[in-house]
Amino acid sequence: MSNDKKLGDHVQLPARDVQSTGDLYDLFLSRNDRGVHKWHHYFDVYERHLGRFRGTAFRVLEIGVSKGGSLSMWSEFFGPEARIVGVDVDPQTLAFDGRWANVTVRIGDQADPAFLASLDDEFGPFDVVIDDGGHTARQQINSFNLLYPRMTERGVYICEDTHTSYWPQFADAGPGVTMIEHAKKMIDHLHLPYLGGAKAFARFGVRPEDRKGNLQVTRFAAETFSVLFYDSMIVFERRARAEPFREIR
Ligand SMILES: C[S@@+](CC[C@H](N)C(=O)[O-])C[C@H]1O[C@@H](n2cnc3c(N)ncnc32)[C@H](O)[C@@H]1O
């Protein structure tokens, strides 16, 4: 029997299926006060990247407080050791400041680098940033550019609702400038060490201690382990990198 499946084939998406599993998803499903607004398929992504922080002392920033439900959910999920900071442009969300013992709220514009810098000076460096704010290109890109380099070495940055990169009403940073396009460029940064082609291949076969000269890359390339694209979420995992090294053993 021939199998001529092609990646571009048009197939039907099931209308209903299990979207996520795990404690955080169960916590979300247990809420019924209309306080938290999340897409169901995000929870597997949260579990995968944020599960290791549960029960530890770490710092998380969520941009976008709205009705406070996600801050309450994070507080319960991560536990009392976590320091949770919420940011919103809407002054009414200040009502959630201190509502849960480990939650602080600050008012400001996520597109304003000076505000974010002062926030980071006060509460950072953050181990986790979740951008669930206004979702425009300028907001997402400015927040990422300012906060990401200031995060802890193994930090995780999550930009949510990146489907807005495909919606014209969120395109406030000029033609073709979107968070998705910005993150795609970051993939090129990750591969900067290899731009030398055959020379790079030869260099990375030499033992690191025997190599001559040094290799310059961008800070992003030197401090990033991975860029992961999910449906409507981009996850950046931070980790200090060294020059690549290949070996036959
Ligand atoms: C999608 S809601 C947040 C939902 C919440 N995280 C949850 O899971 O239930 C988006 C929030 O971002 C806020 N927001 C919009 N523009 C913003 C900006 N420029 N800076 C900070 N917050 C902004 C809105 O006021 C709104 O409360």
Side-chain angles (χ1 to χ4, degrees), residues 17-26 28 38-51 74 77 158 230 233 235:
D17 204 348
V18 177
Q19 302 267 321
S20 285
T21 54
D23 290 351
L24 185 63
Y25 190 46
D26 288 344
F28 171 72
K38 295 287 186 194
W39 294 78
H40 283 240
H41 60 273
Y42 286 4
F43 289 89
D44 273 349
V45 181
Y46 293 140
E47 285 279 356
R48 174 179 287 186
H49 294 285
L50 305 182
W74 297 130
F77 179 72
I158 301 180
Y230 295 93
M233 289 172 124
V235 179

Side-chain angles (χ1 to χ4, degrees), residues 35-38 62-66 69-70 87-90 93 108-111 132-135 139 161:
V36 52
H37 186 189
K38 295 287 186 194
E62 184 171 42
I63 303 170
V65 172
S66 191
S70 54
V87 158
D88 206 292
V89 78
D90 176 359
T93 61
D109 178 0
Q110 70 169 120
D132 187 21
H135 306 310
Q139 290 163 347
D161 293 6

Side-chain angles (χ1 to χ4, degrees), residues 9-239:
D9 288 347
H10 284 254
V11 299
Q12 179 122 17
L13 275 180
R16 287 188 68 88
D17 204 348
V18 177
Q19 302 267 321
S20 285
T21 54
D23 290 351
L24 185 63
Y25 190 46
D26 288 344
L27 202 55
F28 171 72
L29 294 176
S30 73
R31 309 257 155 153
N32 280 310
D33 58 1
R34 301 190 59 76
V36 52
H37 186 189
K38 295 287 186 194
W39 294 78
H40 283 240
H41 60 273
Y42 286 4
F43 289 89
D44 273 349
V45 181
Y46 293 140
E47 285 279 356
R48 174 179 287 186
H49 294 285
L50 305 182
R52 69 181 158 99
F53 294 100
R54 200 175 180 190
T56 71
F58 77 108
R59 298 166 194 210
V60 51
L61 167 67
E62 184 171 42
I63 303 170
V65 172
S66 191
K67 297 186 171 62
S70 54
L71 293 180
S72 143
M73 184 181 74
W74 297 130
S75 175
E76 190 173 340
F77 179 72
F78 288 128
E81 299 296 310
R83 182 82 195 263
I84 300 164
V85 180
V87 158
D88 206 292
V89 78
D90 176 359
Q92 292 198 3
T93 61
L94 211 48
F96 300 108
D97 184 37
R99 171 88 54 105
W100 304 277
N102 54 352
V103 171
T104 305
V105 172
R106 287 286 182 274
I107 302 304
D109 178 0
Q110 70 169 120
D112 175 4
F115 164 68
L116 291 178
S118 70
L119 185 83
D120 189 71
D121 289 343
E122 189 178 0
F123 298 106
F126 292 105
D127 302 283
V128 173
V129 175
I130 300 163
D131 178 358
D132 187 21
H135 306 310
T136 74
R138 208 169 68 84
Q139 290 163 347
Q140 291 174 333
I141 292 170
N142 281 11
S143 296
F144 174 73
N145 285 351
L146 188 292
L147 292 169
Y148 186 78
R150 290 172 167 245
M151 292 178 74
T152 54
E153 191 189 315
R154 292 276 177 131
V156 176
Y157 191 103
I158 301 180
C159 183
E160 296 189 0
D161 293 6
T162 48
H163 47 252
T164 58
S165 286
Y166 302 91
W167 292 348
Q169 65 270 36
F170 290 85
D172 61 353
V177 182
T178 67
M179 186 61 197
I180 292 265
E181 289 303 323
H182 193 58
K184 285 188 200 167
K185 288 195 195 111
M186 294 298 123
I187 295 174
D188 295 333
H189 283 243
L190 267 193
H191 297 91
L192 283 174
Y194 305 95
L195 292 194
K199 263 170 83 175
F201 184 76
R203 178 177 180 84
F204 300 143
V206 175
R207 298 192 67 74
E209 55 273 28
D210 297 330
R211 291 178 198 164
K212 303 271 183 291
N214 56 43
L215 179 71
Q216 299 268 323
V217 296
T218 57
R219 180 179 299 284
F220 180 85
E223 297 179 0
T224 301
F225 179 58
S226 69
V227 181
L228 296 110
F229 287 81
Y230 295 93
D231 169 357
S232 304
M233 289 172 124
I234 306 172
V235 179
F236 300 87
E237 291 180 305
R238 291 175 55 77
R239 189 183 294 190

